[in-house]
């Protein structure tokens, strides 16, 4: 174990096995890991001195070797529809956004996995700001911890629970930050922490094929695939990652994930952002039906949310409805996602690290004005 000299270890960077190993290296029993996890993720306690079931000696020792390092909440915005968006600043000055979407009977937390995103999908705000770095496990878990605290979920009881679902649909491509994302998921699922069921945690990917197979092995959570086009020519333009992992390989990976052979039938969600005159025709709907044949699929049609400086238009409601009807008639469960939080730029694809963006705008304004 390293890191005890000089820099203190951030306990948010560990899942249970990691924390058990860390306590073992400290000469403590592994059950201390479970005690500490419960204090942090169920009670919301960050002060080691208040963790009353630890030995006095351990309570004194912990602050010398460990800490709970959380991102700093620099803004909170609340949408007319109740959606909340927090901007979090990281120690190196980067910023990410986290969004909470309340609905009847559930609350979904949309978390970021990277600062920026390297994939450069042509219609997405995050991709246009460029890529900075991966988030650490503690920076991903910091998002659910802070949201739980700000939503008044601590100390967590079934009645107080606000976050029932987590989706990795914020900034970044989660499967390009595999190890940190899986460790964070382990804590989200752990009964000693957030205790979410694996079906209520969704990893959304633009299609990093090899990592999809690894995810099924490491943590069989729900999978969403950002498809957006029924053929390679169009998808190459919208989602440049398609040039590396074209549709044939992507759909084969989806079949493996769904586990058709093993008979486990995991349903996969396909996200399809509706762009006027680009991917919303009847012919494209029929092509999508053929493409998804044989996969237990659910399709989410997402009205495109405007992104400054990008030349697409949101598909017309009639086009979305026609598209939906074709999929539905072919037996595909299809829903049109309601746009949430767009008045605070919290909707899909509108998340950007505003700190950097604002600074850049200031510079431009000064240069031109
Ligand atoms: N990188 C991952 C997760 C982040 S994006 C992925 O690609 O799945 C979450 C979803 O929002 C993706 O389906 C993405 O394509 C979609 N999205 C991006 N920009 C959007 C926009 N401007 N309007 C609507 N949806 C958008």
């Amino acid at each position: 174990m390293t890191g005890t000299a000089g820099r203190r270890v951030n306990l948010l960077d560990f899942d249970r096995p990691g924390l058990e190993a860390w306590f073992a290296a400290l000469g403590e029993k592994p059950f201390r890991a479970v005690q500490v996890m419960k204090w942090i993720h169920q009670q919301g306690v960050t002060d080691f001195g208040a963790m009353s079931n630890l030995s006095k000696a351990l309570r004194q020792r912990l602050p010398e070797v460990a800490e709970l390092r959380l991102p700093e909440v620099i803004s909170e915005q609340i949408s007319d529809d109740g959606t909340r968006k927090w901007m979090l600043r990281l120690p190196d000055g980067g910023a990410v956004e986290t969004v909470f979407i309340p609905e009847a009977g559930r609350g979904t937390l949309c978390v970021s996995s990277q600062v920026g995103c390297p994939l450069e999908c042509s219609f997405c705000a995050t991709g246009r700001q460029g890529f900075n770095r991966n988030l650490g496990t503690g920076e991903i878990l910091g998002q659910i911890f802070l949201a739980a605290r700000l939503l008044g979920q601590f100390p967590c009881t079934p009645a107080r629970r606000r976050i029932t679902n987590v989706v990795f649909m914020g900034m970044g491509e989660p499967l390009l930050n595999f190890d940190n994302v899986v460790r964070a998921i382990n804590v989200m699922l752990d009964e000693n922490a957030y205790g979410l069921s694996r079906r209520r945690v969704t990893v959304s990917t633009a299609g990093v094929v090899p990592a999809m197979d690894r995810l099924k092995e490491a943590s069989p959570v729900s999978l969403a695939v950002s498809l957006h086009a029924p053929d390679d020519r169009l998808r190459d333009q919208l989602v440049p990652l398609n040039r590396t992992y074209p549709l044939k390989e992507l759909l084969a990976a989806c079949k493996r994930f769904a586990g058709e052979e093993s008979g486990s039938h995991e349903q996969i969600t396909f996200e399809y952002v509706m762009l006027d005159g680009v991917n919303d025709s009847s012919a494209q709907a029929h092509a999508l039906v053929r493409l998804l044949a044989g996969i237990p699929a659910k399709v989410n049609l997402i009205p495109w949310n405007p992104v400054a400086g990008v030349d697409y238009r949101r598909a017309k409601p009639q086009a979305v409805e026609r598209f939906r009807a074709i999929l539905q008639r072919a037996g595909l469960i299809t829903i049109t996602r309601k746009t949430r939080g767009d008045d605070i730029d919290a909707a899909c694809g509108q998340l950007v690290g505003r700190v950097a963006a604002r600074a850049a705008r200031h510079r431009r304004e000064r240069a031109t004005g």
Side-chain angles (χ1 to χ4, degrees), residues 39-61:
W39 279 115
I40 301 170
H41 298 291
Q42 295 188 341
Q43 303 298 313
V45 169
T46 54
D47 170 10
F48 295 123
M51 300 184 177
S52 54
N53 58 358
L54 305 183
S55 70
K56 193 150 173 264
L58 182 58
R59 262 180 281 161
Q60 282 169 351
R61 175 107 191 265

Side-chain angles (χ1 to χ4, degrees), residues 12 69-71 88 137-147:
L12 286 176
R69 203 161 44 240
L70 287 160
L88 307 178
T137 302
E139 292 171 329
I140 299 169
L141 284 173
Q143 296 173 61
I144 186 171
F145 178 91
L146 287 169

